[in-house]
Amino acid sequence: QLRTADVSRCMVVTSERKPELAQYLGGGGIGLDIAYVQQSEAGGLAAAVALTLPWTKGAASCLLLPDTIVRPLDALKTLRQTFETRRADLVLGVFPTSKPTELGPVRFEADGRVTEVQDKPESTDLANSWGLAIWGDRFSERIAAAPRNANLGHLFHQAAQGGLNVIACWFGS
């Protein structure tokens, strides 16, 4: 995904409890410059992303989760193109799922504009979830200003409700 989207630098957030990802990726022999930052205690995705902010300031940032298989293989490339052409603040890659209550369903308009992001709702009429994200400085500022225990899905929702240009890319088939 990263190479296909022309991403050349990658920051991986790890923990001492889960060293496998760093062991697998090593020093970047996969065509990427890789840096690591260790999260001392589990604080959720928003806290993990916040750790990268000193190194990503002024650059677009993307989030890929190591335990998520994403199809199509050029999904991140599509997100990046959408981010650039639509001058978005945040773009979410949205995929179908049969388990939306365990994930982060996204409601969006026909033009892709996001109106709502849920986070593990008790019930929902949606059958999708975000699985990738790319954003710029305006959303990074929201992450930086968020409380340490903030929920990334809630920050996505607040961005959509709070005037940022938040777009969904639907990968439904």
Side-chain angles (χ1 to χ4, degrees), residues 2 5-11 49 52-64 76-77 79-85 87-91 133-141 143:
L2 293 169
D6 264 345
V7 173
S8 58
R9 296 181 313 143
C10 176
M11 177 153 294
V49 170
T52 71
L53 295 177
W55 294 278
T56 60
K57 188 171 181 80
S61 299
C62 62
L63 175 66
L64 294 169
L76 185 59
K77 179 180 180 178
L79 256 68
R80 183 176 184 171
Q81 290 170 339
T82 301
F83 175 78
E84 292 170 355
T85 59
R87 297 183 181 183
D89 295 304
L90 168 64
V91 179
I134 186 169
W135 62 84
D137 278 340
R138 290 184 69 199
F139 185 70
S140 288
E141 290 168 6
I143 294 171

Side-chain angles (χ1 to χ4, degrees), residues 26-82:
I30 58 172
L32 294 168
D33 289 333
I34 299 177
Y36 296 90
V37 63
Q38 191 170 69
Q39 188 176 28
S40 58
E41 59 184 61
L45 286 176
V49 170
L51 291 173
T52 71
L53 295 177
W55 294 278
T56 60
K57 188 171 181 80
S61 299
C62 62
L63 175 66
L64 294 169
L65 303 172
D67 59 352
T68 303
I69 297 172
V70 175
R71 299 278 189 264
L73 291 177
D74 65 349
L76 185 59
K77 179 180 180 178
T78 300
L79 256 68
R80 183 176 184 171
Q81 290 170 339
T82 301

Side-chain angles (χ1 to χ4, degrees), residues 1-22:
Q1 289 288 339
L2 293 169
R3 283 190 299 233
T4 301
D6 264 345
V7 173
S8 58
R9 296 181 313 143
C10 176
M11 177 153 294
V12 178
V13 180
T14 64
S15 80
E16 62 186 30
R17 295 177 324 282
K18 295 184 178 181
E20 297 85 8
L21 187 60

Side-chain angles (χ1 to χ4, degrees), residues 127-158:
N128 69 42
S129 179
W130 68 270
L132 296 172
I134 186 169
W135 62 84
D137 278 340
R138 290 184 69 199
F139 185 70
S140 288
E141 290 168 6
R142 288 183 178 239
I143 294 171
R148 181 161 168 66
N149 62 347
N151 176 294
L152 190 59
H154 294 160
L155 293 176
F156 289 162
H157 178 73
Q158 290 169 358

